Amino acid sequence: MTTTGKQLFTTLTADGKLTLEVSEENFPAPTGNQVLVKMEAAPINPSDLAILTSAADFENAEYSHGKVVANMPEPFLTGQKNRHGQRLPAGNEGAGTVIATGDSDMAKALMGQRVACVPGNAFSQYAIADAMMCLPLGDHSSEVGASSFVNPMTALGFVETAKMEGHDAIVHLAAASNLGQMLNRICIEDGMKLVNIVRKQEHVDMLKAAGAQYVVNSSADSYMADLRAAIAETGAFLGFDPIGGGQNTDHVLKAMEQVAASQMSEYSRYGSNQDKSMYMYGRLDLGPTILTPSYGLQWRVQGWLLTPFLQKAGMETVIRMRTRVQQNLTTTFASHYKAKVNLEEMLTKEAISDYRQMKTGEKYLVTPWG
Amino acid sequence: MTTTGKQLFTTLTADGKLTLEVSEENFPAPTGNQVLVKMEAAPINPSDLAILTSAADFENAEYSHGKVVANMPEPFLTGQKNRHGQRLPAGNEGAGTVIATGDSDMAKALMGQRVACVPGNAFSQYAIADAMMCLPLGDHSSEVGASSFVNPMTALGFVETAKMEGHDAIVHLAAASNLGQMLNRICIEDGMKLVNIVRKQEHVDMLKAAGAQYVVNSSADSYMADLRAAIAETGAFLGFDPIGGGQNTDHVLKAMEQVAASQMSEYSRYGSNQDKSMYMYGRLDLGPTILTPSYGLQWRVQGWLLTPFLQKAGMETVIRMRTRVQQNLTTTFASHYKAKVNLEEMLTKEAISDYRQMKTGEKYLVTPWG
């Protein structure tokens, strides 16, 4: 028995055309530990945009109902050579109702339940998911539960990473995001000091109203001095950057070094001996990352990805994190959306031009039956 | 009793003047575990230039006998704020004869011996050194022993780092340097696969003649393809970069990712799950490091410094490394010099313009009594 429904696909061809298209698909009956979820809500996360929009030119694209074809510029076309010609599903996470299951007890126990899941094709009316990765939502709606994996586990993962590496303070860039607000709440709950960096005064106000102690505005003339003061007070020499491009990470490393150097008793040609670490967990800015020679050689910049982190953290930690998410879905881990779109509305010029900007606090929710 | 001799000093003042100057100094009698070394030879290493020349304008500097005053441009003037006004000695390492010692047995045992040492003021006629850090040279001359610490321990440190992190292959940039030639010899001896990257055909030839199996010329049109082939063949996903500025590290990470992605069974929006690591151990190019979004987020770029490495490696490893250096000083760990200068000749326009370029195979040796 197969189920038929609409699903979004993204295809990049070697001639530089990116096609996003909604089409009717057949979903097979779930087997073993699989469940078939009727998807009711799925967020468009920055991590989805890498495959969905990338750097394509949607300003001059060809739009039709449920379809758009845009040109992909270099070096992004060649950089994604390995996907050329492949028709890929999209949408990391979402929530919906289990309408069929495989034979396993774990799968059967989810029958009829509303669950959050991570199927990889969440922009779809149906999805096959692994029962092991489903989070039962109880009385919560699919909208409330749609974002219960990526952002909550990432924010918790930052705090776990800091603890594992012996830190009790964190710097966070683009800190007014949904993820940033979550991280602020977690850090307050856990007593982890957090230096929030934002670009607008309204975001300073918003985070301060939410209890944040250290919020620095990178648009202010006093940015570097403010950042140094916050780092000196918290001892934050570990940071997380979702922007990637430009000098955001560079400026934080520079401020960390200036604080460390000012605390040294004598000059060293190699800079301070303070370890300085920045994790890049996204590429909101696809421009190159610039690292200036301003902080010696005692530093580290590296990527941070959820899946490898969870593998490294181990099952016990992951279960502890998920239980915490489940128990605090409408408080600590609440998400907010700017707009709801169905699969066809998702592919209009108006919607794409808006959500691809990934503006702070302006996340879209896809409701495939809407 | 004090000893009097000439020593080089470097002073950067807040008004942007960098002064290098030879002056008469008094050296106190050594105490405890100290020895007084009559310095006979000291190499000018890239790591010395950070404090000696940095980015100052030596083209338009004021030169006089044993002295030069040059302007330091921004951001390098402000970047070195912590040394403003300080009269600093220079010269990490060198060799000479012990002419006086402190009271400790270890110090007294070195009396009259020729030793290599790491005094931090090696550009001097005399230096106080720690007996613990002196390497007796036996019948070797000071010229042979002058570079027995920084380059040998760094090259050995790369191989130790790779082994500690579970690698059996290394990528090395600017691989025709004295250090690179040493690393090539060590890797051949230890069965560590080494991908050498150089900029000139003559350096390809030189390293191949020295037994190198993988040498890639970054000036060739086929550079990226050659690099990918060498990485695919060796499985080298760890590299060392002394250049820092520009896209050298970026290109290596990109090649590593292309090799890893080509070996994947399906496309991932996050790139391959292959860890890719680059250590930056110098800043031959003081321009910014450029990292493009071409290799997902499973990568790491970090500084590598000898002293923190040795601390991390522990005494047993350090002693093993030093013994190996001592036993192979004229073979594996031999250094070559382009020119010899005394302290005053070191401060002429001709010499500075030449050695500050840190051209491959053109290292200077300072002979303070020459």
Side-chain angles (χ1 to χ4, degrees):
Chain A
M1 196 208 85
T2 60
T3 307
T4 303
K6 289 190 276 186
Q7 180 174 350
L8 184 144
F9 288 92
T10 167
T11 310
L12 178 65
T13 45
D15 61 356
K17 300 284 180 199
L18 176 71
T19 303
L20 305 180
E21 191 170 12
V22 177
S23 71
E24 286 282 328
E25 285 295 305
N26 292 322
F27 299 86
T31 59
N33 210 36
Q34 292 179 334
V35 296
L36 179 64
V37 183
K38 183 179 177 190
M39 297 299 294
E40 292 155 358
I44 305 180
N45 286 319
S47 53
D48 295 313
L49 294 181
I51 200 175
L52 206 57
T53 56
S54 179
D57 177 12
F58 285 98
E59 196 51 44
N60 304 299
E62 288 169 41
Y63 292 87
S64 51
H65 184 73
K67 183 174 178 178
V68 52
V69 182
N71 285 311
M72 183 71 75
E74 291 292 359
F76 303 96
L77 175 60
T78 303
Q80 298 177 70
K81 202 164 61 177
N82 292 320
R83 64 174 281 200
H84 287 178
Q86 291 187 54
R87 193 162 164 265
L88 300 170
N92 275 309
E93 67 177 341
T97 303
V98 175
I99 58 164
T101 78
D103 292 334
S104 84
D105 290 342
M106 188 188 263
K108 285 198 274 189
L110 292 174
M111 185 63 199
Q113 288 205 52
R114 191 169 292 128
V115 297
C117 57
V118 199
N121 67 328
F123 302 148
S124 177
Q125 290 185 320
Y126 296 95
I128 292 284
D130 184 342
M132 178 79 157
M133 294 294 275
C134 288
L135 195 71
L137 292 174
D139 291 338
H140 295 306
S141 69
S142 283
E143 287 189 21
V144 164
S147 296
S148 47
F149 195 80
V150 178
N151 275 356
M153 295 300 267
T154 300
L156 284 172
F158 292 173
V159 176
E160 291 290 335
T161 299
K163 288 178 183 170
M164 282 178 196
E165 297 183 9
H167 293 266
D168 62 1
I170 294 174
V171 175
H172 189 217
L173 280 152
S177 63
N178 259 312
L179 175 67
Q181 294 177 50
M182 238 174 241
L183 183 62
N184 180 46
R185 293 190 289 264
I186 295 166
C187 286
I188 291 171
E189 288 169 20
D190 291 10
M192 174 73 65
K193 285 167 274 182
L194 177 65
V195 177
N196 296 279
I197 303 177
V198 299
R199 286 191 238 211
K200 292 178 180 170
Q201 186 55 43
E202 66 198 77
H203 294 148
V204 175
D205 300 340
M206 184 260 285
L207 282 167
K208 289 221 161 171
Q213 194 173 352
Y214 305 96
V215 191
V216 179
N217 186 344
S218 62
S219 304
D221 290 340
S222 57
Y223 173 51
M224 285 304 285
D226 298 343
L227 182 56
R228 282 193 298 266
I231 290 169
E233 218 166 309
T234 55
F237 291 100
L238 173 74
F240 293 88
D241 172 13
I243 305 166
Q247 284 191 259
N248 299 286
T249 272
D250 185 62
H251 290 147
V252 176
L253 288 171
K254 198 168 170 177
M256 287 175 174
E257 175 62 12
Q258 289 169 341
V259 170
S262 72
Q263 295 166 349
M264 287 174 75
S265 53
E266 61 180 70
Y267 179 74
S268 161
R269 72 198 71 182
Y270 302 114
S272 78
N273 54 9
Q274 169 69 53
D275 280 322
K276 296 166 289 289
S277 288
M278 288 297 292
Y279 281 103
M280 196 175 294
Y281 69 95
R283 276 274 181 190
L284 294 178
D285 180 342
L286 286 170
T289 309
I290 310 290
L291 303 175
T292 59
S294 324
Y295 27 86
L297 284 171
Q298 194 92 3
W299 55 266
R300 183 167 53 119
V301 176
Q302 68 188 108
W304 194 98
L305 282 171
L306 183 55
T307 306
F309 167 75
L310 294 178
Q311 280 161 359
K312 203 175 102 187
M315 189 56 91
E316 201 183 323
T317 304
V318 173
I319 289 173
R320 176 165 50 75
M321 289 163 69
R322 294 195 58 169
T323 306
R324 184 168 171 183
V325 174
Q326 202 170 9
Q327 289 170 351
N328 301 280
L329 211 46
T330 57
T331 52
T332 310
F333 301 102
S335 284
H336 303 284
Y337 305 97
K338 176 188 184 179
K340 283 184 229 176
V341 286
N342 64 26
L343 292 171
E344 288 80 8
E345 288 163 352
M346 201 183 151
L347 301 187
T348 59
K349 186 171 185 175
E350 187 193 354
I352 293 178
S353 309
D354 198 27
Y355 64 68
R356 79 175 310 195
Q357 292 180 60
M358 299 177 274
K359 281 192 194 158
T360 303
E362 304 200 351
K363 187 169 282 200
Y364 273 58
L365 187 70
V366 181
T367 51
W369 298 92
Chain B
M1 196 211 83
T2 60
T3 307
T4 303
K6 290 190 276 189
Q7 181 175 348
L8 184 145
F9 287 92
T10 167
T11 311
L12 178 64
T13 45
D15 61 355
K17 300 284 180 199
L18 176 71
T19 303
L20 304 179
E21 192 169 13
V22 177
S23 70
E24 287 281 328
E25 286 294 306
N26 292 322
F27 299 86
T31 60
N33 210 36
Q34 294 178 332
V35 297
L36 179 64
V37 183
K38 183 180 177 189
M39 297 298 294
E40 291 155 357
I44 304 180
N45 286 319
S47 51
D48 294 314
L49 293 181
I51 200 176
L52 206 58
T53 55
S54 179
D57 177 13
F58 285 98
E59 196 52 43
N60 304 299
E62 289 169 40
Y63 292 86
S64 52
H65 184 73
K67 183 174 178 176
V68 53
V69 182
N71 286 311
M72 182 72 74
E74 291 292 1
F76 305 96
L77 175 59
T78 303
Q80 299 177 69
K81 202 163 63 180
N82 293 319
R83 66 173 281 200
H84 287 178
Q86 292 187 54
R87 194 162 164 265
L88 300 170
N92 274 309
E93 67 178 341
T97 303
V98 175
I99 58 165
T101 77
D103 292 335
S104 84
D105 289 343
M106 189 188 264
K108 283 197 277 190
L110 293 174
M111 185 64 197
Q113 288 205 52
R114 190 168 294 128
V115 297
C117 56
V118 199
N121 67 330
F123 303 146
S124 176
Q125 290 184 322
Y126 297 97
I128 292 285
D130 184 342
M132 178 80 157
M133 295 293 277
C134 288
L135 194 72
L137 292 173
D139 290 338
H140 295 307
S141 70
S142 284
E143 288 190 20
V144 164
S147 296
S148 46
F149 195 81
V150 177
N151 276 356
M153 295 299 266
T154 299
L156 283 173
F158 293 173
V159 176
E160 292 289 336
T161 298
K163 288 178 185 169
M164 281 178 197
E165 298 183 9
H167 293 266
D168 62 3
I170 295 174
V171 175
H172 190 219
L173 281 152
S177 63
N178 259 309
L179 175 68
Q181 295 177 50
M182 239 173 241
L183 183 63
N184 180 47
R185 292 190 290 265
I186 295 166
C187 286
I188 292 171
E189 288 169 20
D190 290 11
M192 173 74 66
K193 284 167 273 181
L194 177 65
V195 177
N196 297 279
I197 303 176
V198 298
R199 287 191 239 209
K200 292 178 180 169
Q201 186 56 42
E202 66 198 77
H203 293 149
V204 175
D205 301 339
M206 184 259 285
L207 282 167
K208 290 222 161 170
Q213 195 173 351
Y214 305 97
V215 191
V216 179
N217 186 345
S218 62
S219 304
D221 290 339
S222 57
Y223 173 50
M224 285 304 285
D226 298 343
L227 183 55
R228 282 193 299 266
I231 289 170
E233 216 166 311
T234 56
F237 292 100
L238 172 74
F240 294 87
D241 172 12
I243 305 166
Q247 284 190 257
N248 300 286
T249 272
D250 184 62
H251 289 148
V252 176
L253 288 171
K254 197 169 169 177
M256 287 175 173
E257 174 62 13
Q258 289 169 342
V259 170
S262 73
Q263 294 165 349
M264 287 174 73
S265 53
E266 62 181 71
Y267 179 74
S268 161
R269 71 199 73 184
Y270 302 114
S272 78
N273 54 8
Q274 169 69 52
D275 280 322
K276 297 166 288 289
S277 289
M278 288 295 293
Y279 281 102
M280 196 176 293
Y281 70 93
R283 277 273 183 193
L284 293 178
D285 180 341
L286 286 170
T289 309
I290 309 290
L291 303 175
T292 58
S294 325
Y295 27 86
L297 285 171
Q298 194 93 1
W299 55 266
R300 182 167 55 116
V301 176
Q302 69 189 109
W304 194 98
L305 283 170
L306 184 55
T307 307
F309 166 76
L310 294 178
Q311 282 162 359
K312 202 174 102 188
M315 187 57 89
E316 201 182 321
T317 303
V318 173
I319 288 172
R320 176 166 49 79
M321 290 162 69
R322 295 196 56 170
T323 305
R324 184 167 171 183
V325 174
Q326 203 169 9
Q327 290 171 350
N328 301 282
L329 211 44
T330 56
T331 53
T332 311
F333 302 102
S335 285
H336 303 282
Y337 305 97
K338 175 190 185 179
K340 283 184 229 177
V341 286
N342 64 26
L343 292 171
E344 288 82 7
E345 288 163 353
M346 202 184 152
L347 301 187
T348 59
K349 186 171 184 174
E350 188 194 353
I352 292 178
S353 311
D354 198 27
Y355 63 69
R356 78 174 313 194
Q357 294 180 59
M358 300 177 274
K359 281 192 196 156
T360 302
E362 303 200 350
K363 188 170 279 201
Y364 272 58
L365 188 70
V366 181
T367 50
W369 299 90

